[in-house]
Structures are given as C-alpha cells and as structure tokens.
Amino acid sequence: MWWFANPPSRREMTSEELAAIGPEQWRARLMDLFEGDAGPMREIIAATPHILPGWNTYDFPRVPKWSTDRMVILGDAAHATSPSSGQGASMAIEDAVVLGKCLRDVPDTADAFAAFERLRRERVERVVAQGKRNGDGKAPGAGGAFVRDLILPVIMRQVEKRNALAWMHDYRITWDDRVAA
C-alpha cells in the first residue's frame, strides 16, 4: 500500500527545516491534521511502520520544449502531474504508445518528436491542471473537511452521472491509425 498527504502550508519550508522534522514528528503532524476527519486516515497513519520525510511539491503546468532533433522527453519529465490526479503512470504509457506510433509513421526523427508533442500536449496539460485542482483541497483542515465531507458525496454523484471525467478515464489510442508528420 502507498499513500500520501498534502498538508497545507503557509510557506515553503527549506531543506533544512524539512530535514529537522523526524518521522514521529511527521506522524504526529499527520495525526493532528486528520483529527475528526471521516475515513481511515488516522488508522492508516498509525499502522504505517515508517513515515517518510516531507518534501515541497511544485506544479509545472507547462514544459516549454519536449524535444531536440535527437532527444525527446516523455512521462513525468514532460508533464509531471500531482499524485492527486492518479494519472502519472497512465500518461507515461500513453506517451510511449503515441511516441511509438510517431516513430513508426514519420520517417524523420525530429519530425516524429514534433508530431508526438503535437498529439500529446493539450491532453497532458489538461490532466496536469485537473491534478492540481484535485490536490489543492486534499487537506483542508477541520472546518474545510467538515464542509468537504458534506458536499463531496453530492459532487461525486454528479460527476459520475454526467461522466464528467470520461475525457480522462475513457481515453483510447488506436494503434492502427496513422500519424501525419
């Protein structure tokens, strides 16, 4: 099992400040953070044998250039998304398939890389933006958690009914479709 938390922060902590917080201090902070929250978070935290140290996270909504004539980046190197999106591995796999199609169908490597970026950029930037929206409210504090727990079931039913995330979860790549340069 793997889990993470997004504790709210008033400011970015330095590396030294983060290193000074021991595992049991992190455990205590997390237990306080989820005090009174619905769900099994406190039980999971208590049962975790080793609490990893915290780190700062950053959003990079857009990487300006994905390739040169001889090199291309994909996956998190091109479009790191928040763990809140649940899409990091999926996006990397999609990238690999689309890059494979581009290399198969476009004879010049630099043109294949450009085609790959053209085909992927809009989708992955949309997923990154969705992940940021998901992550911004993960640990809202006691008052925010109370409101979230009241409203979230209604919102989730609407999302499911309208299939609002189908653009992300139902995405398909057709291998046999050819790529134009």
Side-chain angles (χ1 to χ4, degrees):
M1 173 183 264
W2 185 86
W3 61 269
F4 69 95
N6 287 341
S9 178
R10 284 180 243 95
R11 64 174 181 80
E12 180 179 337
M13 296 177 78
T14 67
S15 299
E16 294 77 19
E17 289 171 322
L18 288 166
I21 303 171
E24 291 311 310
Q25 290 172 294
W26 280 117
R27 185 184 311 276
R29 285 182 179 201
L30 293 169
M31 292 297 272
D32 288 346
L33 178 66
F34 291 106
E35 178 70 38
D37 214 28
M41 288 74 76
R42 290 174 51 86
E43 291 82 8
I44 292 170
I45 294 164
T48 301
H50 178 70
I51 301 291
L52 296 175
W55 60 87
N56 295 310
T57 59
Y58 305 94
D59 291 307
F60 291 97
R62 188 170 204 280
V63 173
K65 186 171 175 155
W66 289 10
S67 65
T68 66
D69 289 347
R70 299 176 48 198
M71 179 278 315
V72 67
I73 58 175
L74 60 139
D76 280 354
H79 47 75
T81 184
S82 163
S84 303
S85 73
Q87 295 297 304
S90 298
M91 300 303 291
I93 293 166
E94 289 176 16
D95 281 356
V97 172
V98 173
L99 180 59
K101 287 178 58 167
C102 291
L103 291 169
R104 174 194 70 194
D105 297 342
V106 180
D108 178 75
T109 304
D111 290 342
F113 292 166
F116 163 70
E117 182 174 346
R118 182 185 77 243
L119 293 170
R120 296 294 295 154
R121 184 176 282 281
E122 181 181 345
R123 172 171 169 72
V124 299
E125 288 179 358
R126 187 175 178 198
V127 171
V128 168
Q130 181 69 42
K132 177 163 177 27
R133 282 190 297 276
N134 291 351
D136 283 348
K138 285 294 183 184
F146 177 77
V147 172
R148 178 202 61 210
D149 292 346
L150 284 176
I151 295 173
L152 196 56
V154 174
I155 292 171
M156 293 309 292
R157 281 192 294 276
Q158 290 302 312
V159 166
E160 184 179 351
K161 185 189 307 182
R162 292 182 303 141
N163 207 10
L165 295 177
W167 68 269
M168 184 163 46
H169 298 132
D170 294 345
Y171 183 74
R172 300 288 181 265
I173 300 169
T174 306
W175 178 256
D176 294 333
D177 290 350
R178 305 304 283 182
V179 174

